[in-house]
Amino acid sequence: MNLHEYQGKEILNSFGVRIQRGIVAHNHKEAVDAAKQLTSETGTSWYVVKAQVHAGGRGKGGGVKLAKNLQEVESIASDIIGMMLVTPQTSAEGKKVNQVLICEDVYYPGESETEEYYISVLLNRETGRNMIMYSTEGGMDIETVADETPHLIFTEDIDPCLGLLPFQARKIAFNLGLSGGALKEMVKFVSALYTAYIKSDSSMFEINPVLKTSDDKILAVDAKVSLDDSALYRHKDYAEMRDLREESPIEVEANAAGLNYVDLEGNVGCMVNGAGLAMGTMDLIKQSGGEPANFLDVGGTANAERVEKGFRIILKDPAVKAILVNIFGGIVRCDRVAQGIVDAYKNMGDDIKVPIIVRLQGTNAIEAKQLIDDSGLPVHSVVEFQEAADKVQEMLA
Ligand code: GDP
Ligand code: MN
């Protein structure tokens, strides 16, 4: 589950990670009140208005703007709230901005001694350990740094039993070119950041930029936080931070129905039981010249109700030109699934306007094929994987 910047910063702050202070506003009036409150709390006279959407690169898209007085806060906030923000990480259509974060300005004007760094904490899947990834090239898109100057990206693997050791935090600060008070501040920052990552059961923290002010304070100016969904039951307060407006509506509906669904770009809808088979089926579709429109794992109980729900969800995507159902009957019997498909089809009638190719393999596969063939419905039943691929190709031609 992804969080907004302001929510990520709240979590960081609760673990003692120093952050750029900010207050959320939903309209221009709240924005001005927020700015006044920030001035009374921090003494700041300039502000930064930041669009809160689940996408990076907001600065480049015009979603982060400096305001030098309250009038500017008001007009910039009015412009940004409600806009469709397009960034390198959104679709061409962009994301609607429902709220902004009004922040204190932390780049002391006219000072050249501020520095921006990149620091993230994430799971290194190759070593199976958490790692801290960091770079002197903060404020830039890290993918670009990785492409152009990979030697400027460092990593530090963390032993799960020992946690982040003091020498590792010092090494990070040292590699970032710090010394004296700034080095000490960075050691504190990195240690608190790692603790926050572990205690919040996160799967990724990305702080870009981490700022060193001219008076050697180290703070998080941005925060991209992903929480581990499987651990949310331990953090009821974080679970409430979910903003469904930021998620794909089809995915939200599918998840509510207990279906594991991921929206993709292609034209062939897939309904499969089991994540591994779903991946294999997507490969098959690609090899037969199609592009999967989704990943959909209906799970172990592929009954009529779930199959119907699955069809309905797949068909919400207008790009779908054919549906491939690929079910392995291990625990669930194929004839049960076939009956489910027939029932679902009858229920939905005219709602299904694309060809459906069904491959049922495993327990009672023959009975299942018979059931579908006898139903008289325009459902193409096949037995072999390759047959299914050929049929998809034929249907798309
Ligand atoms: P992103 O573009 O979505 O990654 O959003 P960020 O939160 O990283 O902000 C984008 C850029 O805005 C930063 O890299 C900074 O250059 C700039 N910025 C953020 N906060 C401040 C601030 O307090 N003062 C000034 N002058 N610039 C800021
Ligand atoms: Mn950023």
Side-chain angles (χ1 to χ4, degrees):
M1 173 175 131
N2 294 328
L3 297 183
H4 284 294
E5 172 194 357
Y6 79 92
Q7 297 166 324
K9 280 178 166 172
E10 260 170 39
I11 294 180
L12 294 183
N13 187 48
S14 72
F15 288 100
V17 180
R18 194 195 291 264
I19 54 164
Q20 173 194 39
R21 294 285 323 278
I23 298 170
V24 178
H26 301 89
N27 55 53
H28 60 89
K29 202 183 153 298
E30 284 181 19
V32 172
D33 290 344
K36 285 183 187 156
Q37 194 181 328
L38 280 175
T39 297
S40 73
E41 285 174 14
T42 69
T44 192
S45 50
W46 289 4
Y47 314 91
V48 187
V49 182
K50 309 180 79 178
Q52 298 297 291
V53 290
H54 287 190
R58 295 164 301 164
K60 284 191 194 121
V64 178
K65 292 225 164 92
L66 188 65
K68 298 190 176 173
N69 54 51
L70 294 177
Q71 286 75 33
E72 286 185 14
V73 168
E74 184 165 6
S75 69
I76 294 170
S78 321
D79 289 347
I80 295 184
I81 296 170
M83 83 186 280
M84 293 298 289
L85 180 63
V86 180
T87 85
Q89 294 183 17
T90 65
S91 65
E93 169 194 341
K95 288 203 122 176
K96 172 124 188 272
V97 183
N98 296 304
Q99 51 201 349
V100 290
L101 187 61
I102 309 297
C103 291
E104 58 172 330
D105 171 35
V106 288
Y107 291 66
Y108 298 177
E111 297 278 358
S112 56
E113 294 139 48
T114 59
E115 293 285 347
E116 291 181 314
Y117 310 104
Y118 171 95
I119 304 183
S120 60
V121 190
L122 67 165
L123 178 67
N124 178 349
R125 291 182 190 277
E126 271 166 39
T127 59
R129 292 178 171 203
N130 289 314
M131 69 172 171
I132 297 179
M133 192 188 284
Y134 59 104
S135 174
T136 47
E137 306 306 286
M140 289 185 44
D141 171 30
I142 198 67
E143 284 79 12
T144 311
V145 180
D147 281 346
E148 291 170 7
T149 49
H151 60 284
L152 295 179
I153 298 182
F154 301 91
T155 58
E156 189 67 29
D157 266 353
I158 317 290
D159 185 302
C161 299
L162 302 176
L164 176 72
L165 294 169
F167 87 89
Q168 293 181 297
R170 282 198 298 275
K171 182 169 141 199
I172 291 169
F174 185 77
N175 281 340
L176 289 174
L178 298 172
S179 58
L183 183 138
K184 277 198 190 134
E185 283 287 313
M186 182 58 89
V187 166
K188 266 199 256 168
F189 183 90
V190 170
S191 309
L193 190 70
Y194 189 72
T195 305
Y197 171 85
I198 294 293
K199 293 255 168 82
S200 61
D201 287 315
S202 287
S203 51
M204 194 201 53
F205 268 13
E206 186 181 59
I207 317 297
N208 188 21
V210 173
L211 185 78
K212 179 181 87 67
T213 62
S214 53
D215 58 355
D216 284 350
K217 286 198 192 90
I218 304 289
L219 47 94
V221 167
D222 193 2
K224 191 170 170 190
V225 168
S226 299
L227 301 172
D228 182 346
D229 288 300
S230 308
L232 278 180
Y233 74 97
R234 305 208 283 206
H235 305 278
K236 297 278 183 297
D237 46 337
Y238 298 169
E240 281 168 19
M241 292 179 172
R242 173 157 247 145
D243 186 348
L244 293 177
R245 294 170 298 185
E246 295 290 327
E247 299 180 16
S248 145
I250 309 185
E251 285 182 17
V252 171
E253 189 185 335
N255 292 342
L259 300 170
N260 206 340
Y261 176 93
V262 181
D263 211 2
L264 299 170
E265 309 274 274
N267 53 4
V268 182
C270 325
M271 181 155 30
V272 189
N273 65 339
L277 187 59
M279 301 299 272
T281 305
M282 287 159 64
D283 283 351
L284 179 85
I285 288 169
K286 255 193 120 92
Q287 279 167 20
S288 63
E291 282 285 337
N294 66 275
F295 168 101
L296 173 59
D297 174 10
V298 291
T301 50
N303 57 25
E305 201 184 320
R306 286 176 81 80
V307 169
E308 181 175 339
K309 190 79 200 169
F311 278 139
R312 289 198 187 276
I313 281 167
I314 290 174
L315 289 168
K316 290 213 163 147
D317 179 351
V320 169
K321 297 285 173 283
I323 298 178
L324 173 60
V325 180
N326 192 7
I327 303 277
F328 177 73
I331 296 169
V332 59
R333 280 164 33 201
C334 290
D335 54 328
R336 282 261 179 87
V337 179
Q339 192 60 51
I341 292 169
V342 171
D343 292 350
Y345 208 108
K346 283 188 177 150
N347 263 338
M348 293 180 66
D350 290 348
D351 291 350
I352 304 185
K353 294 192 175 66
V354 299
I356 296 181
I357 300 118
V358 177
R359 172 184 181 258
L360 292 162
Q361 201 40 288
T363 312
N364 291 359
I366 295 167
E367 290 85 341
K369 183 167 173 23
Q370 197 62 47
L371 221 151
I372 287 182
D373 291 346
D374 290 350
S375 72
L377 294 172
V379 175
H380 309 273
S381 148
V382 295
V383 179
E384 298 301 327
F385 224 53
Q386 190 56 50
E387 265 182 276
D390 294 345
K391 202 76 192 167
V392 169
Q393 200 164 22
E394 188 189 315
M395 291 296 148
L396 289 177

